[in-house]
Amino acid sequence: QYDVIVQTEGRGRERPEDIDRLFVRGRNDTMVPLSALVKVREAVSPRELNHFNQRRSVSITANLAPDYSLGQALAFLDQTAAKLLPQGYATELNGVSREFRSSSGALGVVFVLALLFIFLVLAAQFESFIDPFVILLSVPLSMAGALLALQWSGGTVNVYSQIGLITLVGLISKHGILIVEFSNQLRQQGRPVMDAVLDAASQRLRPILMTTGAMVLGAVPLALATGAGAEARQPIGLVIVGGLLVGTLFTLYVVPTAYLLLAGRGRGRRRPRRGPSSPRSGWRKSAPGRAVRASAPR
C-alpha cells in the first residue's frame, strides 16, 4: 500500500488567489471554476486536530508544585474543570495520572482479595476459621504504621506505596502464624489456654524480632534511596519499614489477647493428637486369624 498525494505545480499554488483558478468537473463533464462554488478568505486555524477517545482534545501538561501530591492536583483539576468548562466538554487523564486514578480505584478490591486469599490458605492450614481471623488482626495495625511513616516523611499514597501495602499484608501475617501455631501445639499437649499463650508469646519473641529486624534492615536502603528512580523505591521502603515496626509492636500484645478471647474460649482444651510414632495400647491385627496385643512401654 502506497500513499499517493496529488498537487499542482509550484507556480500554480503560490498565492491564495490561485485557488480560484482551479477547476472541478460538473454536470455533463463541464469544468466549473472553484471560485463559482466557494469563497476563499484568510483565517487562523490549528495546524492539526488532535483526538483522544474519538473526540477532539487539547493536551495540558504540568508539573507538581512542592508539597503537593498527584491526588491533590487531580482533585484541583476536577474542581476547576467543573467550574470553567462549558456543557459538553470533559476531561480525560493520560500517562501517570491515568494509571494513578485507575490503580486508586482498584486498590480496595486488590486489598480485599489479598486478605481473602490469605484467610482461605490459613483456614485450610489450621482447619479453623477463628485462628486465621486472630492472625489477620495484625494487618490493620501494620497499615496504620505504614501510613504514619508516609505522613511523617512527606510521602503520598501512590502506585508504589500501594504495592508496598499489599506486600506488607503477607509479611506481617507471619508473626501471628508463629504465635498461634505454637499455642495450638502446646494446647495439644494438654496445657491450659493461658499458659499456652504466654509460653508461645515468650518463646516466639526472639524469632519474631530477628525476622522483623532482617526485613526492616533490608528495606532501609529503599527508604533512603536517592538519585534516579528514588521516587519509586522510597514509598515501598517507607511502607515496609513503618508497617513492620508498628505492626510487630502491637502484634505481640494484640494477637495473644485475641487468641485468648476467641480461640481459647471458643473451643476449650484441645485433645492431644496421636502421631504416627505415638505409643498406644490395644489390639492390632498382624496376620489373618491372629491378633497381637501391643502395649506402650512404661
Side-chain angles (χ1 to χ4, degrees):
Q1 180 178 353
Y2 298 93
D3 295 332
V4 179
I5 301 176
V6 180
Q7 63 182 13
T8 61
E9 295 182 359
R11 64 175 181 271
R13 48 185 173 86
E14 293 178 352
R15 298 174 300 174
E17 293 80 6
D18 294 336
I19 300 178
D20 296 334
R21 292 192 291 269
L22 297 177
F23 288 82
V24 295
R25 191 174 300 278
R27 295 180 179 178
N28 299 326
D29 292 337
T30 58
M31 304 302 294
V32 181
L34 196 60
S35 59
L37 303 176
V38 298
K39 182 181 294 186
V40 179
R41 62 182 178 87
E42 294 185 12
V44 178
S45 62
R47 183 176 181 180
E48 58 183 10
L49 297 177
N50 298 321
H51 288 74
F52 187 78
N53 287 342
Q54 299 181 355
R55 300 179 63 181
R56 292 185 180 181
S57 65
V58 176
S59 299
I60 300 177
T61 304
N63 295 324
L64 292 177
D67 300 331
Y68 283 92
S69 63
L70 182 58
Q72 294 174 339
L74 295 180
F76 174 78
L77 173 64
D78 295 337
Q79 296 175 1
T80 306
K83 295 179 181 179
L84 301 180
L85 292 182
Q87 186 176 5
Y89 288 78
T91 59
E92 290 287 344
L93 301 178
N94 196 11
V96 179
S97 302
R98 189 182 185 92
E99 294 179 1
F100 174 80
R101 183 65 60 84
S102 60
S103 61
S104 299
L107 175 63
V109 178
V110 174
F111 187 74
V112 172
L113 291 178
L115 288 178
L116 180 61
F117 177 77
I118 295 177
F119 181 84
L120 294 177
V121 172
L122 294 177
Q125 178 182 0
F126 288 95
E127 299 179 357
S128 171
F129 291 106
I130 299 179
D131 291 344
F133 179 76
V134 174
I135 293 172
L136 294 180
L137 285 178
S138 58
V139 173
L141 304 175
S142 64
M143 295 296 169
L147 296 178
L148 287 176
L150 288 176
Q151 183 178 4
W152 290 341
S153 62
T156 59
V157 180
N158 49 37
V159 178
Y160 305 104
S161 59
Q162 293 172 7
I163 296 175
L165 290 175
I166 301 300
T167 307
L168 187 62
V169 176
L171 295 178
I172 200 64
S173 300
K174 180 186 63 61
H175 301 338
I177 294 175
L178 292 176
I179 297 176
V180 172
E181 175 64 20
F182 197 69
S183 299
N184 291 341
Q185 293 178 3
L186 294 178
R187 292 182 61 191
Q188 291 169 8
Q189 300 175 5
R191 300 283 296 278
V193 179
M194 179 64 72
D195 295 342
V197 172
L198 293 177
D199 290 345
S202 60
Q203 296 187 28
R204 292 304 184 188
L205 177 61
R206 181 181 298 177
I208 290 176
L209 295 180
M210 291 178 63
T211 53
T212 301
M215 289 185 291
V216 168
L217 291 178
V220 166
L222 295 177
L224 302 179
T226 57
E231 65 277 0
R233 297 191 294 268
Q234 285 181 354
I236 300 178
L238 291 173
V239 166
I240 294 178
V241 172
L244 284 177
L245 291 178
V246 177
T248 301
L249 177 62
F250 285 101
T251 298
L252 298 176
Y253 297 95
V254 174
V255 172
T257 304
Y259 183 88
L260 181 64
L261 296 177
L262 299 178
R265 301 291 177 82
R267 289 177 293 185
R269 178 177 295 184
R270 290 171 172 250
R271 298 178 58 186
R273 295 182 182 178
R274 292 179 176 179
S277 61
S278 300
R280 63 181 187 180
S281 60
W283 292 90
R284 62 181 178 85
K285 195 173 183 180
S286 60
R290 295 184 180 180
V292 180
R293 183 176 180 82
S295 60
R298 297 182 180 177

